[in-house]
C-alpha cells in the first residue's frame, strides 16, 4: 500500500495459466475533500496515460484503466509471477552479485529511462519501491513502475493531463509517493522544473544502492545532512569495493545543486 493507493496481485479465473497482473486501486473514498479526491483521480489518470505509447522491456506496461470500483479508479499492470521489488532483491542477493552484474543492472535502468526521456516522459520519483526485478535464470532484469507522479513538458500530446510540478498539484504531488522513496528523491523534488534532472539524481541514488547494498540514507532528513556534508552521494564511503570511476558516476549524478549534475540520462 501507498499513501493514496493499494496494490493487489490478480489472476484471471478464465485463464488460470496466464501471468498474474498487478491492480493498483486509487483510494478516493478515503480522502477528506473534493480537491484531494480530484488529486487522487489525476494521479490514476496520469499513471495510465503516461505509459500509453511507451514500449520497452525495462518499463512495466499499463494494460487497462477502470472507473468501475467503488473505492476509486484502478489501473491494471503487467506483472510476472516471481517479480521482486529491488529493495527486497538487494537485501536477499547483494552478496551474490558480481560487479559486472551490478553494473549491468544500472545500465538497464539507464536505458529504460533514456527510452522514456526520448519520448518526453519523466518519472520524477525513482526509488527501489518503483523497480521490479525478474530473474532470467540467475540474471536480473529490471523494470520501472510507479509513474503516478510522472511529468511531460507542456506542448506534448498529453500535456493537458500530464504536467510538470508547476501545474495545479505543485504543492501536493509528494502525497502520492510512498514514504520509503524519500531517501532517493532529489532535494528539489517538490519545486523542480527540470524533471530530467530529478531522474538523473534518482538513477544515481539507485546506483548507490546497487553498488553498495545500502540505501543512501534512512530518511529525507538524513539524506539532506549527507548531501550538505559531502555535496553528493559517495558510495566508496561505505563500500571499499567501489572504484573511483564508480564513485564519480554516482557523485556526478547526485550533486546537491541540479546545475552541477550529469546533464542527462543519456
Amino acid at each position: 500500500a501507498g499513501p493514496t493507493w493499494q496494490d493487489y496481485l490478480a489472476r484471471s479465473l478464465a485463464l488460470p495459466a496466464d501471468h498474474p497482473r498487478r491492480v493498483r486501486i486509487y483510494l478516493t473514498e478515503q480522502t477528506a475533500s473534493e480537491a484531494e479526491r480530484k488529486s487522487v483521480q489525476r494521479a490514476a489518470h496520469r499513471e495510465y496515460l503516461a505509459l500509453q505509447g511507451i514500449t520497452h522491456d525495462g518499463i512495466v506496461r499499463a494494460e487497462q484503466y477502470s472507473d468501475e470500483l467503488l473505492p476509486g479508479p484502478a489501473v491494471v499492470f503487467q506483472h510476472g509471477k516471481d517479480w521482486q521489488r529491488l529493495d527486497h532483491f538487494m537485501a536477499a542477493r547483494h552478496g551474490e552479485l558480481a560487479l559486472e552484474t551490478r553494473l549491468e543492472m544500472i545500465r538497464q535502468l539507464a536505458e529504460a529511462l533514456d527510452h522514456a526521456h526520448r519520448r518526453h516522459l519523466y518519472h520524477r520519483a525513482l526509488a527501489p519501491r518503483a523497480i521490479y526485478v525478474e530473474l532470467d535464470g540467475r540474471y536480473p532484469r529490471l523494470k520501472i513502475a510507479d509513474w503516478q507522479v510522472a511529468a511531460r513538458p507542456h506542448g506534448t500530446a498529453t500535456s493537458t493531463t500530464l504536467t510538470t510540478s508547476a501545474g495545479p498539484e505543485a504543492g501536493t504531488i509528494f502525497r502520492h509517493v510512498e514514504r520509503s522513496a524519500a531517501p532517493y528523491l532529489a532535494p528539489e523534488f517538490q519545486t523542480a522544473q527540470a524533471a530530467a534532472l530529478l531522474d538523473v539524481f534518482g538513477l544515481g541514488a539507485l546506483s548507490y544502492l546497487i553498488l553498495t547494498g545500502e540505501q543512501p540514507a534512512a530518511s529525507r532528513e538524513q539524506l539532506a545532512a549527507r548531501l550538505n556534508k559531502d555535496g553528493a552521494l559517495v558510495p566508496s564511503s561505505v563500500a571499499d569495493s567501489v572504484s573511483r570511476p564508480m564513485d564519480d558516476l554516482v557523485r556526478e549524478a547526485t550533486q546537491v545543486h541540479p546545475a552541477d549534475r550529469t546533464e542527462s540520462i543519456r
Side-chain angles (χ1 to χ4, degrees):
T4 55
W5 42 262
Q6 292 176 345
D7 283 351
Y8 293 85
L9 191 64
R11 296 182 182 276
S12 168
L13 296 178
L15 299 169
D18 194 15
H19 286 291
R21 300 294 190 271
R22 176 170 57 92
V23 179
R24 170 161 293 184
I25 300 175
Y26 282 87
L27 304 172
T28 55
E29 68 173 3
Q30 294 184 5
T31 57
S33 70
E34 182 64 20
E36 289 175 328
R37 284 193 291 273
K38 287 182 177 179
S39 177
V40 172
Q41 289 169 345
R42 283 194 296 267
H45 294 163
R46 184 186 301 114
E47 184 159 27
Y48 178 74
L49 291 173
L51 296 171
Q52 301 313 296
I54 302 292
T55 304
H56 192 279
D57 286 343
I59 297 176
V60 177
R61 294 193 310 274
E63 298 184 344
Q64 185 178 350
Y65 178 89
S66 173
D67 266 327
E68 297 177 3
L69 298 180
L70 185 61
V75 184
V76 181
F77 294 95
Q78 165 199 21
H79 198 79
K81 183 175 66 172
D82 298 315
W83 287 12
Q84 285 183 281
R85 282 171 29 184
L86 179 61
D87 49 349
H88 296 168
F89 177 83
M90 292 303 301
R93 301 284 188 118
H94 174 68
E96 306 170 14
L97 298 174
L99 173 61
E100 293 80 6
T101 301
R102 286 180 279 154
L103 294 176
E104 174 59 23
M105 291 168 68
I106 295 169
R107 185 177 295 112
Q108 288 179 35
L109 291 175
E111 289 176 351
L113 286 168
D114 181 55
H115 179 86
H117 283 200
R118 284 187 283 113
R119 286 152 182 80
H120 310 291
L121 176 63
Y122 305 92
H123 190 285
R124 298 202 295 178
L126 290 165
R129 174 65 178 81
I131 311 297
Y132 284 100
V133 182
E134 178 181 34
L135 284 179
D136 181 4
R138 293 179 56 87
Y139 196 79
R141 302 288 182 188
L142 277 61
K143 300 175 183 294
I144 303 173
D146 287 9
W147 296 81
Q148 69 271 17
V149 298
R152 289 188 190 271
H154 291 292
T156 64
T158 55
S159 63
T160 56
T161 302
L162 299 171
T163 62
T164 67
S165 55
E169 293 194 85
T172 62
I173 200 76
F174 192 80
R175 69 189 294 268
H176 300 298
V177 179
E178 207 270 333
R179 183 180 300 175
S180 67
Y184 294 84
L185 303 179
E188 73 280 10
F189 173 75
Q190 288 180 274
T191 59
Q193 299 300 307
L197 292 177
L198 293 179
D199 284 354
V200 169
F201 185 97
L203 179 58
L206 288 171
S207 300
Y208 183 102
L209 170 69
I210 291 169
L211 291 172
T212 68
E214 298 186 18
Q215 60 181 1
S219 66
R220 193 136 181 84
E221 293 73 22
Q222 190 181 97
L223 175 67
R226 177 165 289 182
L227 294 176
N228 287 334
K229 177 177 178 288
D230 298 328
L233 296 176
V234 186
S236 64
S237 65
V238 297
D240 293 338
S241 61
V242 175
S243 68
R244 177 62 181 273
M246 294 182 219
D247 237 7
D248 290 344
L249 186 76
V250 175
R251 188 195 300 267
E252 291 171 9
T254 59
Q255 290 289 317
V256 65
H257 299 298
D260 296 331
R261 285 181 206 148
T262 308
E263 66 180 11
S264 71
I265 292 292
R266 181 173 298 185

